[in-house]
Amino acid sequence: MKISRLFDRFFTGIAPEAAYARACHLLERGEHARGFAMLGQMARDGMPQAQFRVAQAYLDGTGTPLSISEGARWLRHAAEAGHAQSCFTLGVLMLLDIPCIDDPAAAVLPGSCGPDAAAPHDPVAATRWVGRAAEAGLVEAQALYGYLLANGPEEVRDDAAARHWSTIAAGAGCAQGYLGLGLARLETDTAAAISALRHAAQEGLGSACYVLGMLHESGRGGEVDLGAAARMYALAAEQDIRPACARYGMALLRGRGVARDIMRAETWLRRAGLRGDLEAALVVGDLHARGLAEMASDHEAVSWYRRAAMGGHADGCRMMALMCMAGRGIPAPDPHAAAHWLRQAAACGDDAALTDLAAILDRNAEHPAPDADARAGTEQRTLADGFARAARNGDPVGAFNYAKCLLDGFGRAPDPAQAARWMHEAARAGVVNAQYWYGRMLLRGQGVTADPAMARQWIDDAARSGMADAQVAAAQMRITGVGGTRDHAGALSLYHLAADQDHVDAMFSLGAMYGGGHEVPPDRRQAQQWFEKAAGRGNALAQLMMGRYLGRGLAGVTDIAAARNWLRRAQAQGVAQAGEELGRLPPMAPAAAEGMHAAT
């Protein structure tokens, strides 16, 4: 050991370049501590390349404890001396926003750098350091500099300079240079941009494949080519480009440009979700919640929804609330946990979550937790106060929510007149729910003088905006002639719009209209189809109608067993006529009756 140390001193004492070569040789042989010690002396003596290698050692934790701040300090010393690789690495470090992960004893080399030499996240300064490396001729720096000038902070952007540096890097055969050139030219010369991106993709650059995939999918620069988009996304996903994993997963899920394959779709979406793609995590949760995943599990659904929710995804918070309300993936329904997630959804910008939260808190007030009476009442008042403040500050959604509080007596004494005032404010501002509710209040004379014609106008506004409940209400007003003329054809169209949104009452109403007695051509086969859709979703009257249709063969098909089944289901929901219809059916064969009795 003593001989080796003397050898190190010998090299240190003769020529700096020889000493540097000796230190690098030691590092390559795995003698990291000895190599680092020699480099440290040269770094303190001001050798830029030694300072760069010392910085690398600190950043990698090689021969010394890991220290981001010490690595940054030595990089700055070398960069300020004009060392191109140090300028580039320091710039990259400033871009990455790496948290300071330091060992308390990391500063092995004392007294060399002041406390201000660390590299905070600073994209503007990062661009300057990368620019210095680019001017020194470092090709990878030229490529990154071109990209930053095109896509970095507003104060450093320079499209002409971006094209210049990307062209230089591409001319040197740098794939990243072609990528930067392609991105820089996207807005001005799509054909040239695609050509440059293809060069980068042929070099195997995943980011270029991803951008080409987006261009093929959107049709920019040519026709939409979903097959080419899927192929590009697949290549990029194989290189772990996170958004490509998500897009390839969605292509597989929807069968867009590639054969539909839910199992492979889940694999890629999982990969994207695990790497922080919140939308992908939400979709994986949906696959499990809807039973589409290969091994669907409510527990898995909750874990993925929670991942999205914890990342600040409002829909993830809302889905967590729904799972908690239904008791899916958790031991039992938990309205209080659901309220927590709705608060999170509201904090993430989902204004509609406040209304749902109000409904849950109202329900919790009827069935509170053992020690939650006072808390629930206080929370309702606090929520109502928040809605009131928002309404008075001109927030139309706040005005709608406050009106609902006043209408329902939530956190406030019921006040229909004030509710009508705020509901009108929100409706005038274009809040669709408020238009629908204000129309209902005008129809009933609730807090305002009844005005069916005006009610119909407001409900029509909400229906035109796509609200299914409003479409059903507008259709019913057209059938009855309330607030205007009768219009059965218009009602039929509105019911179809609502049924397309899975509105069960609209499905039943379509069955009734096609069944006859309305001013539209009867079509009993279509009527039975709509009754069956509504019956399958639990509509008791539709179940009664299915029993009638199948028992009497009204649409050309008679099925007594199925008719009896539908009528029994309607009877179980309290439909009195179902018993009468059952009595009209022919008696069951003895064997079938015995089988039913045994099953019962």
Side-chain angles (χ1 to χ4, degrees):
M1 180 63 70
K2 289 182 179 179
I3 294 174
S4 64
R5 295 297 181 194
L6 285 170
F7 219 60
D8 294 347
R9 289 177 188 171
F10 169 75
F11 273 97
T12 305
I14 52 170
E17 293 301 328
Y20 178 74
R22 169 68 176 168
C24 292
H25 179 64
L26 290 171
L27 291 176
E28 290 166 5
R29 283 170 44 184
E31 296 185 50
H32 299 132
R34 286 177 61 196
F36 179 76
M38 289 185 68
L39 287 169
Q41 180 58 55
M42 289 178 277
R44 285 192 296 271
D45 291 341
M47 180 187 284
Q49 60 263 48
Q51 292 168 343
F52 174 67
R53 292 300 293 264
V54 165
Q56 280 188 313
Y58 273 120
L59 295 174
D60 297 337
T62 303
T64 183
L66 174 72
S67 173
I68 302 298
S69 61
E70 285 296 307
R73 287 169 183 161
W74 284 106
L75 280 175
R76 187 179 292 273
H77 265 278
E80 287 172 346
H83 189 262
Q85 191 67 51
S86 295
C87 293
F88 176 64
T89 307
L90 181 61
V92 170
L93 203 62
M94 288 179 164
L95 287 172
L96 294 178
D97 193 17
I98 301 174
C100 188
I101 307 169
D102 285 0
D103 186 294
V108 175
L109 304 181
S112 309
C113 305
D116 298 330
H121 179 63
D122 187 344
V124 175
T127 303
R128 287 198 295 269
W129 284 114
V130 172
R132 289 180 64 173
E135 289 166 355
L138 201 63
V139 174
E140 59 263 39
Q142 292 167 345
L144 180 58
Y145 192 40
Y147 176 82
L148 291 172
L149 290 170
N151 303 283
E154 197 63 41
E155 53 265 53
V156 303
R157 290 192 183 185
D158 184 333
D159 291 340
R163 287 191 294 273
H164 168 74
W165 285 106
S166 295
T167 301
I168 291 175
C174 178
Q176 287 85 355
Y178 280 114
L179 172 63
L181 188 59
L183 295 174
R185 289 182 171 177
L186 268 178
E187 297 303 322
T188 57
D189 189 342
T190 306
I194 290 174
S195 176
L197 289 167
R198 282 178 177 155
H199 272 289
Q202 286 165 4
E203 293 294 324
L205 198 63
S207 298
C209 295
Y210 170 65
V211 176
L212 280 171
M214 289 196 297
L215 292 173
H216 286 305
E217 187 174 21
S218 65
R220 281 192 63 183
E223 295 181 358
V224 171
D225 189 338
L226 297 180
R231 289 193 294 275
M232 288 294 106
Y233 288 146
L235 290 171
E238 291 288 353
Q239 295 188 48
D240 269 348
I241 304 298
R242 187 185 78 185
C245 293
R247 284 184 177 266
Y248 187 48
M250 291 306 297
L252 287 163
L253 183 62
R254 296 170 176 167
R256 286 172 57 85
V258 65
R260 190 165 189 254
D261 189 330
I262 294 177
M263 184 166 61
R264 288 179 62 212
E266 184 189 355
T267 298
W268 287 109
L269 289 166
R270 274 177 174 271
R271 184 177 293 190
L274 289 171
R275 283 160 176 75
D277 191 304
L278 303 182
E279 196 66 39
L282 186 72
V283 174
V284 175
D286 287 342
L287 289 175
H288 281 274
R290 294 165 58 194
L292 297 176
E294 184 183 17
M295 299 180 67
S297 157
D298 281 351
H299 178 75
E300 274 284 291
V302 166
S303 72
W304 286 100
Y305 286 145
R306 182 179 285 111
R307 181 183 289 273
M310 295 297 288
H313 197 297
D315 287 344
C317 297
R318 180 177 284 281
M319 292 309 300
M320 279 299 300
L322 291 175
M323 297 297 278
C324 289
M325 282 299 295
R328 294 179 59 185
I330 60 174
D334 189 344
H336 299 283
H340 161 77
W341 287 113
L342 284 172
R343 288 187 201 94
Q344 295 298 111
C348 293
D350 184 354
D351 292 332
L354 293 173
T355 304
D356 295 337
L357 176 58
I360 286 181
L361 293 177
D362 197 26
R363 205 172 305 139
N364 288 353
E366 298 175 11
H367 306 285
D371 60 345
D373 288 351
R375 186 176 71 248
T378 301
E379 195 164 33
Q380 288 183 13
R381 287 191 294 276
T382 301
L383 196 59
D385 287 344
F387 290 145
R389 282 194 300 274
R392 292 183 184 116
N393 288 332
D395 177 6
V397 175
F400 166 70
N401 285 318
Y402 186 44
K404 283 287 289 171
C405 290
L406 292 166
L407 192 62
D408 300 338
F410 178 86
R412 287 284 190 278
D415 189 338
Q418 281 297 308
R421 173 204 161 194
W422 288 111
M423 197 69 78
H424 186 221
E425 287 288 324
R428 287 175 57 198
V431 177
V432 175
N433 282 352
Q435 292 169 345
Y436 169 65
W437 276 96
Y438 188 56
R440 288 181 54 169
M441 294 175 78
L442 284 166
L443 194 60
R444 299 171 179 175
Q446 194 174 15
V448 65
T449 303
D451 188 338
M454 188 60 67
R456 183 159 165 173
Q457 287 182 30
W458 282 112
I459 290 172
D460 279 355
D461 284 346
R464 279 190 292 270
S465 296
M467 184 181 183
D469 283 340
Q471 289 164 347
V472 169
Q476 290 168 343
M477 294 178 82
R478 278 162 173 73
I479 288 174
T480 58
V482 171
T485 59
R486 294 176 185 270
D487 179 5
H488 285 219
L492 185 73
S493 176
L494 285 163
Y495 281 137
H496 271 290
L497 291 173
D500 287 343
Q501 298 184 60
D502 277 342
H503 197 291
V504 178
D505 289 346
M507 295 174 185
F508 172 78
S509 297
L510 282 171
M513 291 196 76
Y514 282 120
H518 295 275
E519 297 168 10
V520 296
D523 184 340
R524 287 189 170 178
R525 287 186 180 180
Q526 195 165 176
Q528 182 171 316
Q529 290 172 5
W530 284 111
F531 282 138
E532 187 172 12
K533 287 182 179 181
R537 288 163 173 78
N539 185 288
L541 291 177
Q543 291 167 351
L544 170 68
M545 295 306 297
M546 281 301 295
R548 285 180 178 170
Y549 265 62
L550 292 171
R552 303 178 188 181
L554 297 178
V557 176
T558 303
D559 187 335
I560 302 301
R564 184 173 284 107
N565 177 55
W566 283 118
L567 290 169
R568 289 188 184 280
R569 289 174 67 175
Q571 189 178 44
Q573 292 200 65
V575 179
Q577 296 130 298
E580 299 172 10
E581 292 291 334
L582 279 167
R584 293 192 181 99
L585 293 177
M588 296 176 65
E594 287 176 14
M596 179 172 286
H597 179 71
T600 305

